Amino acid sequence: DGVAAIVDDSFTKCFNKATPTVWNFNFYLFPLWLAGLVVRYVVLFPIRLAFLLSTFFTFNVVFFLSRLLLPKSAFKTRFEKLIVRCICICWVASWTAVITCHGPRPVASKGRVWVSNHTSMIDWLVLSQVTPFATVMQKHPGWLGVIQTYIMDGFGCIYFNRKEAKDREKVALRIKDYVKNDGGFPLLIFPEGTCVNNRYSTMFKKGAFELDAAVCPIAIKYNKIFVDAFWSSRTQSFGMHLVELMTSWAVVADVYFLETQHKQP
């Protein structure tokens, strides 16, 4: 019993992906499941992929031209926020996502930082289709790194490299400077520091709470009725994770913007 309790309380359960419930086990349900499989992979997936690629390319060209041609101004900031939001809306639409928001929408201001639980890289997209966020994230290789470098850099995202020991201090200074000087976009931090399966939550790293800034909590709860939105980078590439989302019927989630918290004296 003692060993069983230790195994049950293991930290690793925070990173276990939910096992799908098997329901296509008899002769009258299997044809329905098979028909749904064909619709999702043969009909919906190509349409969603074509929509995502075309809109993503279009809005990114507009964003690049804005960065290149428009002078720095309040109009440019508002325009680029709109483009970023449109990009995120297109990503979310490619999963036929149903996102229900609760509470007041975030507004960028000095001395505030937003913190959220972290299930997948799509968390940023889910939140930024409501209000575009600058965020703190790991620098990724490949096509995801290209997006970070040429698009997300444009609105103040802060990157870190887990392999660099001195990177933490540099990132902490950049975060403090961003919060103090108001970078234009609300700053979002995922204090868990890794993706967790949305059933549990790991201990938050304290850095986000030592900025001498008001903390605005956000809770994202995914409904696993159609797909498990948890991304385990150890077992699945982000590209395959997106394919999994785009071949599901829908991504369903609730987003709770909670009351601002202030550090007690």
Side-chain angles (χ1 to χ4, degrees), residues 97-102 126 220-223 229 251-256:
V98 180
I99 312 297
T100 305
C101 296
H102 311 266
V126 168
I220 307 173
K221 181 61 179 176
Y222 291 98
N223 190 322
V251 174
V252 182
D254 286 277
V255 177
Y256 299 87

Side-chain angles (χ1 to χ4, degrees), residues 229-243:
F230 170 56
W231 175 45
S232 174
S233 58
R234 294 183 179 181
T235 60
Q236 187 182 44
S237 68
F238 188 64
M240 289 307 300
H241 178 57
L242 291 176
V243 170

Side-chain angles (χ1 to χ4, degrees), residues 77-257:
T77 301
R78 290 195 302 270
F79 182 62
E80 290 181 352
K81 281 185 178 181
L82 177 62
I83 297 172
V84 172
R85 188 182 178 197
C86 288
I87 291 173
C88 294
I89 288 173
C90 292
W91 276 92
V92 171
S94 72
W95 319 319
T96 322
V98 180
I99 312 297
T100 305
C101 296
H102 311 266
R105 303 299 192 268
V107 178
S109 61
K110 291 183 181 180
R112 288 194 175 196
V113 63
W114 281 258
V115 298
S116 173
N117 61 310
H118 196 24
T119 304
S120 166
M121 282 281 289
I122 71 167
D123 295 339
W124 178 80
L125 295 167
V126 168
L127 294 176
S128 290
Q129 57 94 27
V130 179
T131 297
F133 283 91
T135 189
V136 181
M137 64 171 63
Q138 181 180 350
K139 188 70 174 180
H140 290 273
W143 65 270
L144 194 54
V146 173
I147 292 176
Q148 289 177 319
T149 301
Y150 292 100
I151 300 171
M152 300 181 73
D153 269 358
F155 47 93
C157 289
I158 300 171
Y159 306 116
F160 61 87
N161 188 342
R162 297 184 193 275
K163 296 180 181 179
E164 295 290 337
K166 297 181 179 179
D167 219 31
R168 180 176 296 181
E169 296 178 4
K170 295 179 182 178
V171 169
L173 290 174
R174 288 191 62 191
I175 292 173
K176 289 180 180 179
D177 183 66
Y178 191 100
V179 173
K180 181 179 178 181
N181 296 306
D182 183 16
F185 288 71
L187 182 63
L188 175 67
I189 299 176
F190 298 106
E192 288 173 301
T194 187
C195 295
V196 182
N197 62 14
N198 211 235
R199 292 181 61 201
Y200 304 97
S201 180
T202 61
M203 183 179 293
F204 284 8
K205 292 177 171 56
K206 62 182 181 179
F209 307 94
E210 295 180 334
L211 298 172
D212 194 25
V215 176
C216 307
I218 303 173
I220 307 173
K221 181 61 179 176
Y222 291 98
N223 190 322
K224 298 180 177 64
I225 184 172
F226 295 123
V227 66
D228 185 359
F230 170 56
W231 175 45
S232 174
S233 58
R234 294 183 179 181
T235 60
Q236 187 182 44
S237 68
F238 188 64
M240 289 307 300
H241 178 57
L242 291 176
V243 170
E244 182 182 10
L245 299 179
M246 293 175 70
T247 53
S248 69
W249 289 113
V251 174
V252 182
D254 286 277
V255 177
Y256 299 87
F257 297 104

